[in-house]
Amino acid sequence: MTQAPTAQPPSPRRHDREIIALAVPAFGALVAEPLFVMVDSAIVGHLGTPQLAGLAVAAALLTTAVSVFVFLAYATTAAVARQVGAGDLASAVRQGMDGIWLALLIGAAVVAVTVPLTPALVEIFGTSDTATPYATTYLRISSFGIPAMLVVLAATGVLRGLQDTRTPLYVAIGGFAANGALNAGLVYGAGLGVAGSAWGTVIAQWGMALVYLVVVVRGARRHGASLRPDAAGIRASAQAGVPLLVRTLSLRAVLMIATAVAARLGDTDVAGHQIILSLWSLTAFALDAIAIAGQAIIGRYLGANDARGAREACRRMVQWGVASGVVLGALIVLARPLFVPLFTGDTSVQDTLLPALLVVALSQPISGVVFVLDGVLMGAGDGRYLAWAMVLTLAVFAPVALLIPSFGGGLTALWGAMTLMMTVRLVTLWMRMRSGRWIVTGATR
């Protein structure tokens, strides 16, 4: 497509203001999401150990079932942002509605599979006899909240594409507060136990979904966009999401292989791995917030036929990624004596943990650039390349990680392999960014 003439690109300061305005609220919303499970765990934990164990198994299954469909947010953000850049807000909201209808269809299908298979899914985890009834109860009830969670993903993508990350933050905070109040009231006040916790979470999730739907429906009416399901639009949303689904499954496979290898290394190593993985996930929230800003900003520039602006924004966000990674790495090193004792008092775990933590700290600048470029290419709608790049990364990582126990490697070697994985991602994403092939301008890719 021929590039339209553009004015001088925005200054770095303007890019900074845009990144901060989008990334900070996005970070708050990202952090609020795992707090749902933490609240449930805190309340259910006082009922007893079997109840908490059952919740842990059910929550892991639910998180997996929802996280594989995160493309509902990513693909929708990119599509909507392009239409915003093109100045067609009606089509932007219309594409957002296609994503929401797709979320409802997928959610209904997942519920139809999960509810009857709940006992079998719980059994796969090898849950104890005492915890199994609670895991089954929680999972079966909570499954009815899956469509709501997927709608939240898609609607969040709509608002991000519209350059609005504040509303998702407010909804996340409201949902967190409602979830806590409902859980406490139903578990203890109504005496429903684990079932009360599940119903409280389902109600909170549907409440969040309804708030999002009200916001999107109002936007549709304001801009004259149709709310009816459109088969062609839903199909296009699904097709755009398939490559991102492949990417997400490949990334989940990396994390599962890493945990499986850690388990083979012994209890001390797997305990240390779990601590590092929790910390790694926390730093990922900060870096992912910048990536989310990248999705929205890059999509908007490309939709406006502003290839130069997209390049400048990409360059500035890479600088943000490097700087954020350096800061996070330094924080890990400096705060290490403070947070490690919070997780474990076992000196053998601490001794195993410390050198691996240094590897993680040193790899943070790499992670910073990877997250940013991931967001840039998602915003550009370059999902097919992201899928193949992540499959290649998995193919490199898997044999290296699986050979670590055979060669007597430990936790530090495992996280060295994780750093290798991030380095491969960096190389593949950097090559794509430098090639310029991701720059396809216009309202649609």
Side-chain angles (χ1 to χ4, degrees):
M1 178 175 289
T2 302
Q3 181 181 333
T6 59
Q8 290 296 318
S11 67
R13 286 188 177 182
R14 180 177 168 185
H15 284 311
D16 291 344
R17 288 195 296 270
E18 284 188 329
I19 294 168
I20 292 171
L22 291 170
V24 172
F27 175 71
L30 289 169
V31 170
E33 292 172 7
L35 293 179
F36 270 74
V37 177
M38 290 180 62
V39 168
D40 290 4
S41 299
I43 292 174
V44 171
H46 290 286
L47 296 175
T49 299
Q51 288 90 334
L52 183 58
L55 170 65
V57 170
L61 286 165
L62 281 169
T63 300
T64 300
V66 174
S67 64
V68 296
F69 298 113
V70 72
F71 70 82
L72 289 167
Y74 295 159
T76 304
T77 297
V80 172
R82 275 184 177 268
Q83 296 291 347
V84 169
D88 190 350
L89 293 179
S91 294
V93 178
R94 174 65 261 178
Q95 291 212 332
M97 285 303 306
D98 291 336
I100 291 173
W101 280 112
L102 177 62
L104 286 170
L105 290 173
I106 293 175
V110 174
V111 171
V113 171
T114 303
V115 172
L117 293 180
T118 292
L121 292 171
V122 171
E123 186 178 351
I124 290 173
F125 269 68
T127 316
S128 68
D129 292 339
T130 54
T132 293
Y134 300 111
T136 302
T137 297
Y138 191 93
L139 181 58
R140 181 171 284 134
I141 295 172
S142 294
S143 296
F144 293 103
I146 290 176
M149 288 188 274
L150 298 185
V151 167
V152 167
L153 283 177
T156 300
V158 175
L159 295 180
R160 288 173 181 170
L162 293 170
Q163 317 297 297
D164 176 11
T165 56
R166 290 182 179 272
T167 299
L169 172 61
Y170 299 148
V171 175
I173 293 173
F176 170 70
N179 181 59
L182 286 165
N183 268 261
L186 294 175
V187 171
Y188 299 122
L192 296 180
V194 169
S197 176
W199 281 118
T201 301
V202 168
I203 294 170
Q205 288 162 345
W206 275 107
M208 292 172 64
L210 290 174
V211 171
Y212 273 119
L213 288 175
V214 168
V215 172
V216 174
V217 167
R218 284 179 177 174
R221 289 175 175 170
R222 184 165 59 250
H223 299 296
S226 174
L227 297 173
R228 295 179 180 178
D230 175 63
I234 294 172
R235 193 181 308 114
S237 294
Q239 289 172 346
V242 169
L244 295 180
L245 175 62
V246 172
R247 168 200 167 274
T248 300
L249 290 174
S250 299
L251 182 57
R252 297 291 299 184
V254 165
L255 298 177
M256 289 175 64
I257 289 171
T259 300
V261 171
R264 290 172 61 188
L265 295 176
D267 291 348
T268 299
D269 290 273
V270 77
H273 175 73
Q274 184 58 36
I275 294 170
I276 293 179
L277 194 59
S278 299
L279 178 65
W280 195 70
S281 300
L282 181 61
T283 61
F285 284 135
L287 299 175
D288 203 26
I290 303 173
I292 287 169
Q295 293 170 31
I297 293 170
I298 294 298
R300 191 188 75 228
Y301 275 119
L302 294 178
N305 292 322
D306 189 353
R308 184 179 179 184
R311 287 192 186 94
E312 293 294 330
C314 174
R315 185 177 298 112
R316 191 60 175 172
M317 280 182 282
V318 167
Q319 293 170 355
W320 269 76
V322 173
S324 299
V326 170
V327 170
L328 290 171
L331 286 175
I332 290 173
V333 173
L334 295 174
R336 189 179 48 171
L338 299 176
F339 68 76
V340 169
L342 294 177
F343 286 97
T344 179
D346 189 328
T347 55
S348 62
V349 174
Q350 291 182 0
D351 291 341
T352 302
L353 188 64
L354 295 182
L357 271 177
L358 290 176
V359 173
V360 174
L362 291 172
S363 69
Q364 286 304 297
I366 296 174
S367 298
V369 178
V370 167
F371 273 81
V372 165
L373 292 180
D374 221 25
V376 166
L377 296 185
M378 284 182 189
D382 203 10
R384 184 170 297 180
Y385 182 83
L386 288 171
W388 285 112
M390 196 62 227
V391 170
L392 172 64
T393 301
L394 174 61
V396 173
F397 169 80
V400 173
L402 293 172
L403 286 172
I404 286 174
S406 301
F407 285 90
L411 186 63
T412 302
L414 175 58
W415 277 92
M418 289 290 284
T419 301
L420 170 65
M421 179 271 295
M422 293 302 289
T423 302
V424 173
R425 293 189 69 192
L426 174 63
V427 171
T428 56
L429 297 177
W430 187 265
M431 288 173 58
R432 187 64 167 182
M433 186 271 288
R434 294 289 295 175
S435 74
R437 294 178 183 175
W438 57 277
I439 300 177
V440 179
T441 58
T444 57
R445 182 177 174 87

